[in-house]
Amino acid sequence: MDIFVVVQDWEFTSNKSIAKDFILWYSMNIQGRNSIDGIPSFFVFADVERETEDPMDNTPLMSMQPYFVLDSDDFCQHVLFENGISHFFSFSNKNREDKILPLMADGCSNIIFEYRGGGVRTHFVGSLAARRSFSVKKDAEYFGIRLAPGSHFSIPEIASKDTVGKILILDELDFARNLCGLMEREKTFDSRVNVFLDEYSLLCGKNEKSEKQAHLFRQIVDIIVSRKGLVKVSELERLSGYTSRYINKIFENEVGFSAKQMCGIVKFQFLLGDISMGKADSLTRISSEYNFYDQSHFIHEFKGLSGMTPSQYARTVEQRKYSENVRNV
């Protein structure tokens, strides 16, 4: 669908990219103010749909941890994309020994409940900007919540940036004991989803002093995701009206790493999803689509965040039938 912007005394444009950039700039800089000095009024309307849609628009990011599928049993997920939650997932380890599952950079926080021996242990996995690992116990069942990029699970007395790359045990903290107790009693996927959603809003307190900064952070993350990470910090400056220094300060405060790193992680996660679900028929084509300079650049960045080359990963997910092992509920 083409979006048109008509601006009083400004040029009329039917260019979709320019129009959307103007709308983003307006929403971040002007919208909500009582008066607009020196800014012309504008109207936005939609024309008829065209056959050629922009493939970079409106594609939600469903960040993934592939080894939760590849090295576990009975993986299933329920996609939500609401209230800052990307999706719920569960898996089990029917093996007779513990496992160490590799984790890849995802830019998201995860809450994972471990059910074993009649009890539950609650892990909080902070946003990952680099590789880590997660210990899976034998004969255990896991139920998890993955938050969307830019969303936070507030932990009292711990700044979000201080949770980056860390795995914390929530049931040892006073504020989460009620949630852990409620989740321990639930035996089915659906009941665990419902109980978590009921309690989630109570655990997402906002710090009023940082509300404006957090709002700007989420808006910028939304732009990064809408562009599949293919956006430069200079473009974020133009769209937000803030300097790159201030933008990076916000990102450091909110997630502990830079806006440029977030762009790289988002791009990697979209790329990871394409390969995992068999959408990347040609690695040469996809490296060009994701704006890598050449194959060596593509391999270097992908291996740095995943631990293997794109071709090695593609062979792994094909041989182990990744997409067939994901059950949506």
Side-chain angles (χ1 to χ4, degrees):
M1 177 181 290
D2 272 358
I3 292 180
F4 293 81
V5 178
V6 181
V7 183
Q8 182 181 329
D9 300 327
W10 282 21
E11 182 180 355
F12 171 85
T13 178
S14 62
N15 183 294
K16 186 175 184 179
S17 177
I18 294 175
K20 286 198 169 184
D21 283 354
F22 181 83
I23 294 167
L24 284 168
W25 173 84
Y26 176 85
S27 67
M28 297 180 77
N29 292 275
I30 305 301
Q31 196 171 37
R33 297 183 187 177
N34 292 326
S35 61
I36 305 174
D37 297 327
I39 303 296
S41 59
F42 76 98
F43 304 89
V44 180
F45 62 94
D47 195 20
V48 296
E49 290 191 5
R50 301 290 182 88
E51 291 183 1
T52 55
E53 286 289 333
D54 186 346
M56 306 305 283
D57 288 347
N58 304 319
T59 303
L61 173 59
M62 186 170 162
S63 291
M64 58 196 303
Q65 290 297 341
Y67 285 95
F68 285 174
V69 178
L70 296 172
D71 281 351
S72 71
D73 303 290
D74 306 320
F75 183 90
C76 71
Q77 63 186 18
H78 173 69
V79 180
L80 189 66
F81 290 132
E82 290 180 8
N83 302 320
I85 297 174
S86 169
H87 59 284
F88 297 91
F89 60 92
S90 71
F91 60 89
S92 61
N93 177 19
K94 295 179 179 178
N95 205 302
R96 293 187 177 180
E97 59 184 25
D98 297 348
K99 290 182 179 181
I100 301 296
L101 302 186
L103 298 179
M104 299 183 182
D106 61 4
C108 299
S109 299
N110 294 261
I111 306 160
I112 303 176
F113 297 91
E114 175 187 292
Y115 294 85
R116 186 167 67 106
V120 64
R121 170 154 278 201
T122 311
H123 305 267
F124 177 83
V125 183
S127 298
L128 298 178
R131 287 177 286 149
R132 263 214 70 166
S133 61
F134 184 77
S135 177
V136 173
K137 304 300 181 182
K138 63 180 180 180
D139 298 321
E141 181 184 356
Y142 293 83
F143 173 80
I145 303 93
R146 183 159 301 136
L147 301 185
S151 297
H152 296 311
F153 183 83
S154 299
I155 301 177
E157 299 181 4
I158 302 178
S160 296
K161 66 177 181 179
D162 294 332
T163 67
V164 174
K166 295 180 180 178
I167 300 178
L168 308 175
I169 305 300
L170 293 188
D171 41 291
E172 295 176 354
L173 303 177
D174 291 340
F175 88 102
R177 283 180 182 164
N178 183 59
L179 171 65
C180 298
L182 291 171
M183 294 297 291
E184 183 175 359
R185 295 197 292 268
E186 302 306 320
K187 306 300 181 185
T188 68
F189 188 94
D190 287 346
S191 65
R192 289 168 183 171
V193 168
N194 292 333
V195 168
F196 182 84
L197 288 175
D198 286 342
E199 292 296 309
Y200 179 61
S201 60
L202 302 177
L203 296 172
C204 291
K206 294 182 179 180
N207 184 336
E208 292 183 359
K209 292 182 179 179
S210 63
E211 187 174 353
K212 182 178 179 181
Q213 177 175 286
H215 180 65
L216 177 59
F217 168 73
R218 287 191 297 271
Q219 286 186 310
I220 294 175
V221 171
D222 286 345
I223 294 172
I224 293 172
V225 171
S226 73
R227 305 290 181 85
K228 293 188 175 180
L230 303 176
V231 57
K232 296 181 179 180
V233 177
S234 58
E235 291 181 75
L236 298 177
E237 281 187 301
R238 177 174 58 84
L239 291 170
S240 68
Y242 292 93
T243 65
S244 60
R245 182 176 180 180
Y246 185 69
I247 290 171
N248 281 320
K249 180 182 177 181
I250 289 174
F251 272 76
E252 290 291 342
N253 288 339
E254 294 290 326
V255 290
F257 47 84
S258 70
K260 183 178 180 179
Q261 283 178 287
M262 177 63 87
C263 291
I265 292 168
V266 167
K267 179 171 76 170
F268 168 71
Q269 280 289 332
F270 271 111
L271 181 58
L272 197 64
D274 285 349
I275 298 175
S276 299
M277 302 310 291
K279 297 177 182 178
D281 55 335
S282 167
L283 293 178
T284 300
R285 179 190 59 77
I286 204 169
S287 69
S288 175
E289 181 181 319
Y290 280 88
N291 292 354
F292 291 101
Y293 301 125
D294 50 34
Q295 282 292 301
S296 61
H297 179 217
F298 178 29
I299 292 169
H300 176 76
E301 282 205 12
F302 190 92
K303 188 172 183 179
L305 295 173
S306 71
M308 60 180 71
T309 67
S311 58
Q312 288 173 334
Y313 181 73
R315 283 196 300 271
T316 298
V317 296
E318 182 179 8
Q319 291 169 357
R320 297 166 71 174
K321 303 183 185 303
Y322 179 94
S323 60
E324 294 179 20
N325 289 312
V326 176
R327 181 168 63 92
N328 289 291
V329 295

